[in-house]
């Protein structure tokens, strides 16, 4: 019927769709109802809320791309690549947040920038490890027939 969608393309599209959902809440009437009415946010902070929602637009897409790479590593049983990616995620998140703070970025924009950089960096680290084959492959333990006699 048509060309089948690949998993990374699907992950990117779904990530963008979920990134657009919070934008519905920054529309004038929806923002007034949700942030001012339900959340009791002061009207002066509504500009920061809108900036944060716009800055987080691509965040779900970066999570989807990182998760796809980790899924590929899990399928290949390369747990070292997954753990290295998680370590990179935490390191990039910490260093990126401090760098954004040192550069004088607004407080509401530090998390979106840091999280997107961390997700992309961790996904790239897992991709590089899978591409170069440096991650060790750990065999899956097989239960022997002798173990069935013990109850």
């Amino acid at each position: 019927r048509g060309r089948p969608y690949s998993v990374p393309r699907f992950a990117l599209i779904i990530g963008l769709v979920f990134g657009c959902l919070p934008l519905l809440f920054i529309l004038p009437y929806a923002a007034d109802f949700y942030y001012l009415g339900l959340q009791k946010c002061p009207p002066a902070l509504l500009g920061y809320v809108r900036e944060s929602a716009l800055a987080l637009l691509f965040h779900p897409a970066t999570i989807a791309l990182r998760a796809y790479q980790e899924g590929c590593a899990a399928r290949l049983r390369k747990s070292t690549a997954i753990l290295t990616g998680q370590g990179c995620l935490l390191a990039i998140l910490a260093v990126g947040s401090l760098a954004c703070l040192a550069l004088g970025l607004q407080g509401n924009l530090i998390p979106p920038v840091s999280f997107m950089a961390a997700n992309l960096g961790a996904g790239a680290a897992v991709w590089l490890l899978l591409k170069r084959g440096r991650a060790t492959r750990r065999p899956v333990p097989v239960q022997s027939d002798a173990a069935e006699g013990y109850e």
Side-chain angles (χ1 to χ4, degrees):
R1 296 189 184 229
R3 200 170 73 175
Y5 290 102
S6 65
V7 174
R9 185 175 175 184
F10 173 77
L12 186 61
I13 290 170
I14 293 299
L16 290 174
V17 168
F18 280 115
C20 289
L21 286 178
L23 297 181
L24 296 175
F25 291 101
I26 66 170
L27 296 173
Y29 294 111
D32 292 345
F33 170 74
Y34 182 72
Y35 291 112
L36 300 178
L38 294 176
Q39 294 290 331
K40 307 292 185 208
C41 178
L45 297 181
L46 204 53
Y48 292 119
V49 170
R50 286 191 172 108
E51 286 177 358
S52 299
L54 286 171
L56 286 167
L57 177 64
F58 297 107
H59 185 247
T62 62
I63 292 173
L65 293 174
R66 176 181 56 87
Y68 171 73
Q69 290 301 323
E70 290 176 351
C72 290
R75 184 189 55 175
L76 296 171
R77 296 187 179 127
K78 302 219 176 192
S79 58
T80 305
I82 297 170
L83 291 174
T84 302
Q86 292 297 311
C88 288
L89 179 84
L90 292 175
I92 294 170
L93 184 60
V95 172
S97 296
L98 291 173
C100 288
L101 187 63
L103 291 172
L105 198 64
Q106 285 180 190
N108 65 318
L109 298 178
I110 291 174
V113 170
S114 299
F115 275 116
M116 285 188 282
N119 283 316
L120 291 174
V126 173
W127 178 78
L128 283 173
L129 286 172
L130 292 178
K131 184 173 173 114
R132 298 198 182 234
R134 291 184 180 164
T136 59
R137 184 179 179 135
R138 305 197 85 192
V140 176
V142 179
Q143 184 177 5
S144 66
D145 293 337
E148 290 180 12
Y150 298 102
E151 295 179 345

